[in-house]
Amino acid sequence: SARLMCTAALQKDLGDIVKKDKVVVFMKGTPAQPMCGFSNAVVQILRMHGVNEYAAYNVLDDQDLRQGVKDFSNWPTIPQIFLNGEFVGGCDILLQMHQNGDLVEELQKLGIRS
Amino acid sequence: MAVTTDHIRDKLIKEIGAMHVEVEDTSPNRCAASFKVLIVSTQFEGKPLLARHRMVNTCLAEELKEIHAFEQKTLTPEQWEKQKAQ
């Protein structure tokens, strides 16, 4: 069906999207105006680490994207963070990586000094 | 199906052998069903954070469809002891 082809195309697009930039975030709202506390937490953590250049996609703009990214990463919630094309997790995981120092290390691997 | 703290606790104990579970219903702070859980299980040992969270997400896959916001902390018994000592 057309719907199924669309879904397949979106999954392929998502594969490209997460590799296009070193840091990719799927969130509710935008970094300038997060629409959910969890998405806001991700924005604040990245800001604390001096990560200002990252790709942010607003899932509230696109219901297909909202469901598509959940299917793509097999993860039920938003926000979602990708580093170097790899799925890292949601807000809880990023927060714990921030607290235990893993995030600094991961960003260093990408050439981002926090 | 209304998801309750007891239901979440029972499922985590039964399915991922949690020895300690704290479930907080955070719905009153938000606009829909929301929960915050702390799970201590030996099954988390040797597993990275992402794998642990995936275990929990898989265990509660049906419930998560009804839940608006879900926060989780996954600890091994050793990490739990350390956290309690702090």
Side-chain angles (χ1 to χ4, degrees):
Chain A
S1 70
R3 172 87 202 170
L4 204 64
M5 280 181 60
C6 234
T7 305
L10 177 59
Q11 292 300 308
K12 188 187 167 296
D13 287 348
L14 281 166
D16 294 336
I17 283 172
V18 299
K19 289 193 195 85
K20 214 169 83 186
D21 299 272
K22 283 183 181 175
V23 181
V24 177
V25 177
F26 294 90
M27 63 181 289
K28 293 180 179 174
T30 62
Q33 197 167 19
M35 300 298 285
C36 156
F38 299 106
S39 289
N40 184 45
V42 167
V43 168
Q44 297 307 328
I45 291 168
L46 291 175
R47 185 172 294 156
M48 261 187 273
H49 287 266
V51 185
N52 299 308
E53 302 275 311
Y54 60 94
Y57 297 89
N58 183 0
V59 303
L60 297 180
D61 277 348
D62 185 341
Q63 283 306 311
D64 288 340
L65 178 67
R66 187 173 181 171
Q67 186 55 50
V69 73
K70 291 179 184 179
D71 296 339
F72 177 75
S73 49
N74 185 27
W75 191 258
T77 51
I78 305 290
Q80 298 190 6
I81 300 99
F82 289 78
L83 297 178
N84 224 14
E86 293 271 332
F87 178 63
V88 167
C91 174
D92 293 326
I93 290 184
L94 196 71
L95 182 64
Q96 283 175 61
M97 287 171 71
H98 163 67
Q99 287 166 343
N100 68 20
D102 286 352
L103 186 57
V104 172
E105 223 170 277
E106 289 302 317
L107 291 173
Q108 267 172 0
K109 282 188 210 160
L110 306 183
I112 301 168
R113 169 117 5 133
S114 61
Chain B
M1 175 193 63
V3 180
T4 63
T5 54
D6 283 343
H7 174 80
I8 291 176
R9 184 185 299 109
D10 291 349
K11 204 160 183 189
L12 289 168
I13 290 171
K14 207 197 282 176
E15 293 186 18
I16 51 180
M19 52 179 282
H20 180 80
V21 182
E22 288 173 24
V23 190
E24 187 188 341
D25 186 345
T26 54
S27 306
N29 307 331
R30 308 189 187 280
C31 54
S34 305
F35 294 94
K36 186 175 187 171
V37 297
L38 167 75
I39 308 143
V40 183
S41 172
T42 54
Q43 290 187 28
F44 294 145
E45 280 165 7
K47 289 201 175 71
L49 209 47
L50 182 59
R52 296 178 189 189
H53 282 227
R54 281 205 193 280
M55 279 171 68
V56 175
N57 289 344
T58 304
C59 174
L60 298 174
E62 279 305 307
E63 290 76 11
L64 283 172
K65 288 177 193 165
E66 318 280 326
I67 295 174
H68 173 72
F70 186 71
E71 297 166 80
Q72 55 172 305
K73 197 162 195 182
T74 49
L75 302 176
T76 62
E78 196 186 341
Q79 289 173 321
W80 170 231
E81 287 303 322
K82 224 180 256 175
Q83 181 168 306
K84 276 196 291 188
Q86 274 175 2

